[in-house]
Amino acid sequence: MLSFAEEIMLLLLEDEDGRFVHAPDHYLRCVLSGAVLMDLALKGKIDTDLDSLVIIDPEPTGDDLLDPILERLTKEGENHDAQYWVEHCQSLSGEIREKALARLCERGILSQEDDRFLWVFKSRRYPVVDGQAEREVKLRIMSILFSDEIPDPRDIAIVGLMDAGGLFKYLLSERELKGVAERIEQVRNMDLIGQAVTVSVREIERQLAQVTMAAARI
């Protein structure tokens, strides 16, 4: 089974050529941080409510995508809510992204290609090798949005993360997005970590707006 971070990367894959959507970096940091927290929750390592996120089982999972964040949560030794941890673990988001992409390559789903010009590294692409996993996750999430079927916990988590980061606008037309807005809200409200990611993204945007306004006054 793919991790949440791996599924998020497949959802954000823009084309078969291996390019990803150009979403704001602070969105992706929060979403990938939340993705690992969700995997830890589903594995019974952590639990969360409206006020706090608590460690249920501090023993390592043996998964190098999850254990760095589990170790960070365990070492803190203090109770904090999910929003705190989404924001606190953003510093690991680059590592999460690279590990998720490396795993997708190891599974034979993507390949890695470096684009160079005059032997200088310019960018990296991840062309699709086997598109079944990509199609499966996209079809699964779309079927949730465009139907009334009861989603399972994994799909609730994915919808919550994608909506928190404002990422559905890269997958759906403006008209489609308006049509499923109520359904997205319904599914999103079933997951507390997804809600925490939403709050974190909005707080970062508020801070960025303040910086921009302050710079404009100078």
Side-chain angles (χ1 to χ4, degrees):
M1 180 178 293
L2 299 180
S3 68
F4 284 122
E6 289 171 90
E7 292 199 315
I8 289 293
M9 295 313 301
L10 288 178
L11 284 167
L12 296 180
L13 198 61
E14 193 167 34
D15 54 41
E16 295 286 315
D17 197 38
R19 308 288 183 183
F20 292 90
V21 301
H22 295 290
D25 186 59
H26 63 276
Y27 286 11
L28 294 179
R29 290 199 306 269
C30 288
V31 168
L32 290 174
S33 176
V36 174
L37 292 176
M38 286 176 171
D39 265 320
L40 289 172
L42 283 186
K43 288 181 178 294
K45 294 295 182 178
I46 63 174
D47 195 10
T48 185
D49 58 26
L50 293 174
D51 301 313
S52 63
L53 184 152
V54 296
I55 307 294
I56 302 299
D57 178 7
E59 288 299 312
T61 65
D63 186 326
D64 65 355
L65 190 62
L66 308 183
D67 285 342
I69 285 187
L70 179 60
E71 181 181 9
R72 183 171 291 195
L73 268 64
T74 303
K75 284 185 175 179
E76 181 80 7
E78 295 182 20
N79 260 353
H80 298 286
D81 61 13
Q83 181 191 347
Y84 171 89
W85 284 114
V86 167
E87 295 172 4
H88 190 66
C89 293
Q90 284 185 64
S91 61
L92 295 174
S93 61
E95 183 180 342
I96 294 168
R97 180 183 184 276
E98 292 307 310
K99 285 182 177 178
L101 290 172
R103 288 186 181 191
L104 290 170
C105 292
E106 289 169 4
R107 292 173 185 269
I109 297 171
L110 304 180
S111 63
Q112 178 181 306
E113 294 184 5
D114 293 338
D115 289 339
R116 296 178 183 273
F117 179 69
L118 297 179
W119 300 282
V120 177
F121 174 74
K122 304 294 288 184
S123 64
R124 178 165 290 161
R125 295 184 297 112
Y126 290 88
V128 175
V129 176
D130 181 351
Q132 182 176 349
E134 180 199 6
R135 290 190 296 271
E136 190 275 335
V137 66
K138 287 183 176 179
L139 287 171
R140 201 179 79 227
I141 298 305
M142 291 304 110
S143 70
I144 295 299
L145 298 187
F146 290 92
S147 74
D148 293 325
E149 65 181 88
I150 299 174
D152 68 22
R154 288 193 63 84
D155 293 340
I156 291 171
I158 290 287
V159 170
L161 286 171
M162 292 291 290
D163 181 62
L167 302 177
F168 278 123
K169 66 183 177 184
Y170 299 103
L171 303 183
L172 302 170
S173 68
E174 185 176 346
R175 181 178 179 181
E176 289 172 331
L177 194 53
K178 287 181 179 179
V180 297
E182 186 175 338
R183 174 61 169 168
I184 290 174
E185 183 177 6
Q186 179 190 49
V187 176
R188 180 191 66 202
N189 288 336
M190 299 177 186
D191 180 73
L192 292 175
I193 293 178
Q195 292 175 45
V197 173
T198 300
V199 174
S200 297
V201 168
R202 289 175 181 170
E203 175 60 21
I204 291 171
E205 289 179 331
R206 183 188 67 79
Q207 294 172 6
L208 290 174
Q210 288 181 338
V211 171
T212 302
M213 292 174 63
R217 296 192 190 102
I218 297 174

